[in-house]
Amino acid sequence: MSNFGWCGEKVRLVPLDKERHFANAHRWVNDPDVTWRTLIGDIPITRLAEEQFFDHASELGPHPTELHLAIETLDDPPEHVGMVGIHKIDYRHRHGEVGIMIGRTALWGRGFGSDALATITRYAFEVLGLEVLVAGVMADNVGSRKAIEKAGYERVGCIPQFYWKRGARHDSILYARLRSNDPEQPSEHSA
Ligand SMILES: CC(C)(COP(=O)(O)OP(=O)(O)OC[C@H]1O[C@@H](n2cnc3c(N)ncnc32)[C@H](O)[C@@H]1OP(=O)(O)O)[C@@H](O)C(=O)NCCC(=O)NCCS
């Protein structure tokens, strides 16, 4: 397997490929353990809907407003472990929202989530030229909050009762990461 993709320390982010990623993705978005605290889930996602998502995700122009990548391990051969994306990309304000799913629940807690988030953040800054990335997380999604914090995001606020999930309302914890706060990112105005 080539080094094609955007590499972190534990994962590589690669373009969606129906042959390699569709069956896993379709299973994961319908897995109640995976979608326990995600915005999607519970309402069934049909094969047709998932196919439309894949088709849409692959029609990228030069300035995509949504970008979805598959998360694979660095093993040879690689293992597909999840999906990560940037939503609502706005090139005028240069910001977007990150979202992530490690679908292989047996692999939670091994650092794939935080590495994938750090990697897509670097991609957003270095490739897309974005300046700010945000994430909204249900307050009791401890794994997600820890992964986001490990990827360098700071808590910037809380919207009480923002989400409705499985019979209860949940606070949204808001996180942000600014390119200008990142010592590894060269300033746009530096010589
Ligand atoms: C949230 C998610 C992406 C984290 O992925 P991951 O690969 O487990 O993340 P990491 O291994 O980098 O874990 C980061 C930290 O969270 C902890 N953690 C992970 N899952 C956890 C869980 N379910 N409960 C408590 N802590 C958890 C890890 O142990 C680790 O802690 P440490 O830094 O003290 O070692 C993954 O659990 C997932 O996809 N969940 C379902 C979808 C989801 O909730 N997406 C986010 C929506 S905002």
Side-chain angles (χ1 to χ4, degrees), residues 96-113:
E97 283 183 26
V98 289
I100 183 162
M101 172 179 286
I102 301 295
R104 295 277 318 278
T105 53
L107 300 181
W108 285 357
R110 299 208 190 164
F112 293 131

Side-chain angles (χ1 to χ4, degrees), residues 6-63:
W6 202 255
C7 259
E9 288 172 8
K10 298 188 170 193
V11 299
R12 177 177 292 127
L13 307 185
V14 300
L16 295 191
D17 178 328
K18 261 192 183 170
E19 212 171 291
R20 280 162 64 192
H21 306 129
F22 178 84
N24 284 337
H26 187 225
R27 192 171 63 254
W28 295 336
V29 293
N30 287 295
D31 179 338
D33 292 334
V34 176
T35 63
W36 172 72
R37 285 293 177 263
T38 58
L39 298 189
I40 60 162
D42 302 331
I43 295 171
I45 296 177
T46 61
R47 171 169 282 272
L48 180 61
E50 189 66 11
E51 277 175 354
Q52 285 170 343
F53 167 81
F54 263 68
D55 291 342
H56 178 68
S58 51
E59 289 165 6
L60 294 180
H63 299 292

Side-chain angles (χ1 to χ4, degrees), residues 31-139:
D31 179 338
D33 292 334
V34 176
T35 63
W36 172 72
R37 285 293 177 263
T38 58
L39 298 189
I40 60 162
D42 302 331
I43 295 171
I45 296 177
T46 61
R47 171 169 282 272
L48 180 61
E50 189 66 11
E51 277 175 354
Q52 285 170 343
F53 167 81
F54 263 68
D55 291 342
H56 178 68
S58 51
E59 289 165 6
L60 294 180
H63 299 292
T65 53
E66 298 268 328
L67 195 126
H68 301 275
L69 296 163
I71 306 170
E72 295 186 347
T73 63
L74 298 179
D75 301 325
D76 189 9
E79 187 178 354
H80 177 211
V81 296
M83 312 284 281
V84 66
I86 311 175
H87 311 261
K88 299 182 187 169
I89 300 173
D90 184 320
Y91 292 97
R92 178 178 177 196
H93 300 292
R94 295 203 198 179
H95 61 216
E97 283 183 26
V98 289
I100 183 162
M101 172 179 286
I102 301 295
R104 295 277 318 278
T105 53
L107 300 181
W108 285 357
R110 299 208 190 164
F112 293 131
S114 43
D115 190 41
L117 283 164
T119 306
I120 200 159
T121 302
R122 191 162 52 84
Y123 179 93
F125 292 161
E126 293 181 7
V127 178
L128 302 180
L130 302 186
E131 293 286 336
V132 182
L133 286 176
V134 297
V137 183
M138 291 188 205

